[in-house]
Amino acid sequence: MSFSPVSAAQLADLLGRSNQGCALWSAEGVLLMATPAWCQWLEVDESASPVGQPLQGLLPASIWHTHGQRFAAAARGLRQEYDDSRSGDFGAQRHRRIQLTPGAADAQGRHEVLMQLSNIDREYARGEVMARQREQLQAVHEQLRSHRQDAGELDRLRTLLDWRTAMLSEHNEMLQLLSHEIRQPLNNASAAMQATLKAIEDLHMADAAPATRALLRAEHVLQQVMGTLDNTLAAGTILAAGGKAGASSETDLPTLIKLVLHDIAADLRPRIEVQWLTTPRTVQLHPALMRLTIRNLLNNALAYAPTDSPVQLRISESDEPLALILEVIDQGPGIPEELLAHLFEKGARGHHSHSRPGAGLGLFIVRSVLQLHQGTVQALPHSPHGTVMRLVIPQGLAE
């Protein structure tokens, strides 16, 4: 392939009108033809009449550094094809595919070269879109894989939770069975002791005092054992139920108070003064758990207050918010400041409780039961000495 100067000029004019980027240079590296698009891409000053000048001298050093080796290969007869990219206006990237086609060779084996530029901006744009789509698909794939892993982990956790729930349910059933099997004989023994005390009292025996004291001590021990058993069962029930121990029910409050008093050792009941500051009526609460809660507070007050002092159970209510208020008031030594912060924690016991049986569950049960009722419990000082344990139990929550 060889072009005369005239035909090269005609070809440049023809290609220039079609906005094609083309150039032709001789075997000696002299530019024979160039279109405006080629000059613009290769940064050649078209106004300086580049045709007829050596190609290497026309091109900026940076351009020659980029393309020079490929131009030399084409001059040796090796066809070249590669992509070239530049930054355009506003940072946009432009892309051209360059083809270097060797032509006729001179006596020294050097070839004239035809250079063609093809606009491949769309091709690169499609490639970028496809790359983004591949990235998005990869991200979706990773998410799906992660979701599958999460689903597998969720299944394992659900299985573990089902197993734990079954174990807790079985544990609770065993506690209920144990409570029934142990508590029934204890109730029978307590009833027998009370009957014996009543019989001794009816006989008016002058020398019966030692036997009476022994029976009273035995009844106290039984009451303490039953209290510990009930607290342990309640703690296990609350934990097994995950903080949901059944629904509240309409409960006759006077009947509940009578049952609580019956739970107290017979010789201690006379110390309890019940003060009604509201009309006796039905209230909304968990009767069994609240019975245990009030009993725990009364037993604590009776145990820590002086033996000849009264313990008050004060019953009132509030309108804003609508709530039942129960207060157990003693005249004991009060609660040390350092114990107040941990008073309702499991296992918390006062400095003077080491000689008293128990596992420190009583006040923990009280707080747990009040939380089930969405209520509060507070330990407040009583003037001139003693403690007020105040329970606030919201009413009307079912509505």
Side-chain angles (χ1 to χ4, degrees), residues 47-370:
S47 65
S49 301
V51 174
Q53 298 185 35
L55 182 64
Q56 185 173 357
L58 288 171
L59 300 180
S62 60
I63 300 296
W64 184 261
H65 177 75
T66 301
H67 300 277
Q69 291 185 352
R70 295 184 181 274
F71 291 170
R76 294 195 301 270
L78 300 176
R79 189 178 185 278
Q80 304 289 305
E81 182 172 331
Y82 58 97
D83 294 348
D84 189 26
S85 300
R86 304 282 177 84
S87 294
D89 297 335
F90 306 106
Q93 286 288 312
R94 297 182 300 163
H95 310 276
R96 299 292 184 269
R97 180 155 296 143
I98 297 176
Q99 293 178 331
L100 301 177
T101 305
D106 62 9
Q108 299 177 0
R110 297 174 300 182
H111 294 258
E112 60 183 16
V113 177
L114 175 65
M115 179 175 179
Q116 296 173 285
L117 303 176
S118 301
N119 188 335
I120 54 172
D121 289 339
R122 291 185 179 179
E123 183 178 330
Y124 267 76
R126 286 195 299 271
E128 292 174 356
V129 170
M130 292 178 65
R132 287 195 297 270
Q133 290 176 342
R134 282 195 295 270
E135 292 176 359
Q136 292 171 355
L137 288 173
Q138 182 65 26
V140 170
H141 174 73
E142 292 295 332
Q143 290 178 355
L144 289 174
R145 185 171 65 179
S146 177
H147 289 166
R148 284 195 295 268
Q149 292 175 346
D150 292 343
E153 184 65 21
L154 185 60
D155 288 340
R156 287 191 292 272
L157 290 176
R158 187 179 292 111
T159 301
L160 181 61
L161 181 60
D162 291 342
W163 174 82
R164 176 184 178 276
T165 301
M167 291 295 294
L168 286 175
S169 178
E170 183 178 349
H171 170 71
N172 191 36
E173 290 175 3
M174 290 297 296
L175 283 176
Q176 296 283 357
L177 178 62
L178 180 64
S179 173
H180 176 76
E181 293 296 325
I182 296 177
R183 207 181 196 288
Q184 190 60 44
L186 294 177
N187 283 332
N188 294 339
S190 178
M193 288 180 185
Q194 292 186 30
T196 303
L197 284 169
K198 183 67 170 60
I200 292 174
E201 183 181 346
D202 291 342
L203 291 174
H204 304 288
M205 298 172 59
D207 57 348
T212 300
R213 287 196 297 270
L215 285 172
L216 286 174
R217 285 196 299 271
E219 185 186 8
H220 285 180
V221 171
L222 281 178
Q223 292 291 341
Q224 291 165 354
V225 171
M226 287 190 290
T228 300
L229 179 64
D230 287 342
N231 282 331
T232 303
L233 177 62
T237 300
I238 292 170
L239 291 173
K244 298 179 180 179
S248 299
S249 62
E250 289 294 326
T251 302
D252 184 68
L253 190 56
T255 301
L256 177 63
I257 299 303
K258 289 179 182 178
L259 291 173
V260 170
L261 295 178
H262 181 75
D263 292 337
I264 306 299
D267 61 320
L268 297 178
R269 292 175 200 161
R271 291 177 55 191
I272 301 175
E273 301 175 357
V274 180
Q275 298 181 354
W276 288 91
L277 303 183
T278 184
T279 304
R281 59 182 179 83
T282 60
V283 290
Q284 189 182 61
L285 45 74
H286 302 78
L289 291 178
M290 192 56 64
R291 177 180 175 179
L292 176 60
T293 296
I294 302 172
R295 187 178 78 196
N296 282 341
L297 293 180
L298 288 174
N299 279 329
N300 275 358
L302 292 167
Y304 288 97
T307 56
D308 57 347
S309 65
V311 170
Q312 297 174 346
L313 172 58
R314 183 182 297 164
I315 304 163
S316 61
E317 60 183 348
S318 66
D319 293 328
E320 292 293 338
L322 185 62
L324 171 67
I325 301 175
L326 302 177
E327 294 175 308
V328 175
I329 307 168
D330 65 55
Q331 299 179 20
I335 300 172
E337 186 70 26
E338 64 273 13
L339 182 60
L340 278 175
H342 309 285
L343 186 63
F344 297 99
E345 294 178 1
K346 189 187 298 183
R349 307 193 72 195
H351 299 309
H352 304 290
S353 62
H354 301 297
S355 61
R356 304 180 189 277
L361 285 176
L363 292 181
F364 168 75
I365 295 297
V366 170
R367 184 185 65 176
S368 299
V369 171
L370 265 293

